[in-house]
Every structure is written in structure tokens, then in C-alpha cells.
Amino acid sequence: ISAVVLLVASLPAAAQSTPWEDRVFANLSFGVEAGSAEVSRNGTFVVYNETGSVQSNAEFGSFAILDISVGARVFGNFGVGLAYHDGGTSGSGTVTGSAPHPLFFDQPRNFSGTFEDAQRDEHATHLQLGYMLPLGDTFDVFVYGGPSWFRVSQQMVTSATFIEQGPPYTN
């Protein structure tokens, strides 16, 4: 945001008074969301009339993003637009927990494991209300604000299913 404010503040006064003559605009941009994110999830499940627990931790790396926006002039240099943001990646992690014993009450068994290819997807829709600053015949700056709606989904282990293979009922 500070880069936009500095850009707008440094524009010549003549450029700020130039009327916006186009009726519509479109933008397509690509980028990278750098860094990584660690996500943890705790859950419980019931088996043999007892409660077991599962904890999972995953790390998701950086990923490419795509932004598409379209808009139109409403009045003077004021416009309205709609933008869509999309990106996703996969990650891996560990899972640990405890499962009730099939024969003995209150004697849980511990387990652990790993998982791969957990998907993380990010989608956002943005309503843009703004002011267009034409900076010549081929370059315009649209300064905008407005609400955004985000939808993030990621796969994590939240429960466990066991297949017992007979005594001694160990991990």
C-alpha cells in the first residue's frame, strides 16, 4: 500500500487532472507467494467406545498465483472492477496420536506416520472501487479499495481408521 501511496504522491499535477477516456480495463498478472506456512490440526475420533486423538503438522511451500481483473468507468475517472486471485501448492507432514486398545479399557496405543501431497488451495474475489490516473496514452494507474472474500482449503489428517490384525494388538 505504501508503494501505491508514494507512486500517487509523486505523480505530476497534470497527470492527475487528465480525464480517463477508456470505458473498460482488464489486467492479468502473475506472481509468487514466497515463504512457507506451517499448519497444525488436532482431532479426536471414537473407536471401541473410547476416544482417540490425532495431531497432524504440515508444511506448505511457496506457490505461483494468478490475478485477473476487469472493470469499467462509472463516472469521470471513477470506476468499479472485479478481480479474482487463484493459487495452490502441495505439502507434506507428520501425524501422531493415540488409539484405544480393542480389549483393555484406558490403555491407549501410540502411533505415528507421515503423509505426502496434501493440497492447499487459495481463491479470492475482490470488489474494486477506485480512481483511474491516466499517465499518457498507454499507461494508467487504478487506485482502488474495497471488500475481499477469501476461500482457503487445505488437506490435513483429522481422524484415523484402524484395521486390527489379531493379538498382541500393538502399533
Side-chain angles (χ1 to χ4, degrees):
I1 292 178
S2 61
V4 172
V5 171
L6 290 174
L7 176 65
V8 171
S10 66
L11 295 174
Q16 292 179 6
S17 63
T18 305
W20 179 21
E21 296 177 0
D22 298 323
R23 292 180 184 228
V24 297
F25 68 89
N27 181 54
L28 175 64
S29 59
F30 302 93
V32 173
E33 189 168 315
S36 62
E38 291 186 24
V39 179
S40 298
R41 172 76 187 214
N42 297 326
T44 60
F45 58 93
V46 175
V47 64
Y48 308 126
N49 290 325
E50 283 191 79
T51 301
S53 66
V54 61
Q55 299 83 35
S56 59
N57 298 301
E59 185 168 340
F60 297 95
S62 61
F63 57 93
I65 56 174
L66 168 70
D67 284 313
I68 301 170
S69 63
V70 295
R73 179 169 45 105
V74 177
F75 176 77
N77 282 29
F78 292 96
V80 62
L82 189 63
Y84 178 74
H85 161 101
D86 183 66
T89 187
S90 62
S92 60
T94 60
V95 59
T96 59
S98 67
H101 195 282
L103 300 177
F104 302 109
F105 186 75
D106 203 21
Q107 291 189 13
R109 300 168 292 163
N110 295 326
F111 63 89
S112 64
T114 61
F115 58 92
E116 301 289 329
D117 297 324
Q119 295 297 310
R120 181 180 193 280
D121 295 311
E122 182 177 298
H123 310 280
T125 304
H126 314 283
L127 178 60
Q128 302 172 330
L129 306 169
Y131 189 83
M132 184 67 75
L133 298 168
L135 301 178
D137 293 337
T138 60
F139 189 75
D140 300 327
V141 174
F142 189 56
V143 180
Y144 62 89
S148 296
W149 296 269
F150 288 89
R151 189 177 78 238
V152 176
S153 64
Q154 53 198 24
Q155 295 175 331
M156 293 290 288
V157 176
T158 58
S159 67
T161 303
F162 295 91
I163 300 173
E164 302 290 355
Q165 297 186 5
Y169 303 107
T170 60
N171 297 347

